[in-house]
Amino acid sequence: MGFQITGDPAADKVLDDSAFALLVGMMLDQQYPMEHAFRGPAKVLDRFGTVEPDAIAAADPEEFAAMASTPPAIHRFPGSMAARLQELARIVEETYGGDASRLWTEAADGKDLLKRVMALPGFGKQKAQIFVALLAKQLDVRPDGWEAVVGDYALEGHRSVADVVDADSLQKVRDFKKAKKAAARAAD
């Protein structure tokens, strides 16, 4: 089936073809619309020529930041995200031999997978839980105990990018997030 997160088949194919691109899209999903965040790896591929961690890690930081800032930028904070992306690439290169999928294929269980993802730059607990849920729901990566570590993100419904499989589900996730924010404001 393949990912259908970005609304752009070519950008979704980049996510399908590269575990690192999928990881980058999730990293960029912060204070930025999710479909735009997950288009970021395709922009890097188009402009930089590759989404391979070794090349990204080795790139000149100023040139890489300039590439990331070229309109349309890879994120609303392109400079800081370019630096974070290069750090992510360095970690994937050094820790996983450049193969981002080793994050999940070598995880002992769900708890270990969550810990591995949380060790990456830009991944707090909630984002790591969402990424583990995304792996489980869309790639059938389900190490023992994954449901327990992701909490409500394991449930059926439309809570996060893990549940986005088409334009309709993307809108349902947006509606869920909007309602959740409104409830939080009302509780204050």
Side-chain angles (χ1 to χ4, degrees):
M1 177 178 102
F3 289 104
Q4 294 185 37
I5 296 172
T6 69
D8 174 355
D12 284 329
K13 183 160 179 14
V14 173
L15 302 176
D16 291 336
D17 292 347
S18 168
F20 185 68
L22 182 63
L23 191 61
V24 169
M26 190 73 226
M27 183 204 71
L28 293 172
D29 188 11
Q30 175 182 329
Q31 298 180 336
Y32 198 52
M34 73 183 87
E35 68 273 22
H36 294 287
F38 281 88
R39 286 181 200 146
K43 292 175 187 175
V44 172
L45 178 61
D46 289 345
R47 298 172 191 169
F48 187 65
T50 184
V51 288
E52 290 301 316
D54 60 339
I56 291 170
D60 176 88
E62 288 182 16
E63 290 176 14
F64 195 77
M67 175 279 305
S69 300
T70 301
I74 66 165
H75 193 273
R76 71 185 270 209
F77 303 113
S80 62
M81 288 299 176
R84 187 177 286 171
L85 172 49
Q86 285 195 285
E87 180 61 19
L88 178 65
R90 272 190 285 284
I91 291 169
V92 168
E93 190 62 28
E94 292 168 7
T95 307
Y96 301 102
D99 182 357
S101 71
R102 286 180 52 200
L103 265 159
W104 52 89
T105 61
E106 296 177 359
D109 54 28
K111 188 175 181 181
D112 183 42
L113 176 54
L114 184 69
K115 180 181 172 186
R116 288 167 174 247
V117 176
M118 285 178 61
L120 301 173
F123 284 83
K125 184 175 182 183
Q126 183 179 28
K127 187 184 286 192
Q129 288 175 310
I130 292 169
F131 189 69
V132 171
L134 174 71
L135 293 172
K137 291 181 174 184
Q138 299 210 28
L139 294 180
D140 205 30
V141 173
R142 298 170 181 237
D144 288 342
W146 77 269
E147 300 99 326
V149 300
V150 303
D152 284 353
Y153 295 112
L155 301 175
E156 292 297 316
H158 298 95
R159 291 172 173 74
S160 73
V161 69
D163 303 306
V164 175
V165 295
D166 55 25
D168 183 52
S169 57
L170 173 64
Q171 187 57 50
K172 288 178 180 177
V173 168
R174 285 198 187 297
D175 294 344
F176 176 82
K177 287 182 172 189
K178 187 175 180 179
K180 198 168 181 178
K181 285 180 183 177
R185 280 194 299 273
D188 285 345

